[in-house]
Amino acid sequence: MAAAVGIAAAAVGLTAARPDRLPSQSQQPGPVLLVPGYGGSREALLELAERIRATGRQAEVLTLPGEGTGDLAAQAAVLDERVTAAVDMGAPSVDVIGYSAGGVVARLWMAQAQTARVARRVITLGAPLHGARLAAVGGVLTPDACPVACQQLTPGSALLRELDGQPLPRGFPWLSIWTEDDQTVQPPDSARLDGAVNVALQQVCADAVVQHGQLPTDPLVVGLVLRALQAGLPSRPDSADCAALRAEGELSS
């Protein structure tokens, strides 16, 4: 396992220099690329992509190799290939949404100096950026059923330690959303990222009851995503924003 995650870390160039510039936030944005989570299911993100398209933006849900259970570095390479294609077609930048393990894929991609220069902003939903206990338990109890991505998502894995040593570019607009009801990513605040706008749903709407699998389609989450894509989130939203954000999410459906 250690060899596998070590190879993955090297493959995405985690020791590369930080980007020396970031895309303009004022210019016409490029497409939104949505990265599925562990297992590669695209269904929930397809619905979110439709809601984003309703605002006039282009949105595409990626198909991951190995049904989203293989090497996270290979998944980051798929994201990078799609970003490169978008830029070659004239896109000035991309926005990336990573759901669950897809958020770690986005984090891996952002750790690359050259390609991450076209990232306008990143949004992650329930991302185990510091690992998930479920992966650790799976690796111990049923190691044959814990493929490479599962191993890499174990708290303290070599890959995650490398990412912890890669700070976000100063001022980069990254929004990390999670739910305190999450029973899949434990602890839920594994989604917290230094330098990001970190939002637990229950800190915005105290009555929110949202499980991990509901994150991409919950109205509060959709409202947060749409607002972040359109106007950005300069600070963490709070209870005063609850009703408006839910309304934005519901109106987009």
Side-chain angles (χ1 to χ4, degrees), residues 48-74:
L48 179 57
E50 282 298 320
R51 296 184 176 192
I52 293 169
R53 291 188 193 107
T55 69
R57 295 288 301 276
Q58 298 178 38
E60 176 187 346
V61 181
L62 303 188
T63 299
L64 299 177
E67 297 183 341
T69 63
D71 188 349
L72 295 176

Side-chain angles (χ1 to χ4, degrees), residues 51 218-220 222-223 226 244-253:
R51 296 184 176 192
D218 179 79
L220 174 57
V222 175
L226 294 181
L245 286 167
R246 275 182 168 158
E248 289 176 33
E250 290 168 352
L251 288 173
S252 66
S253 61

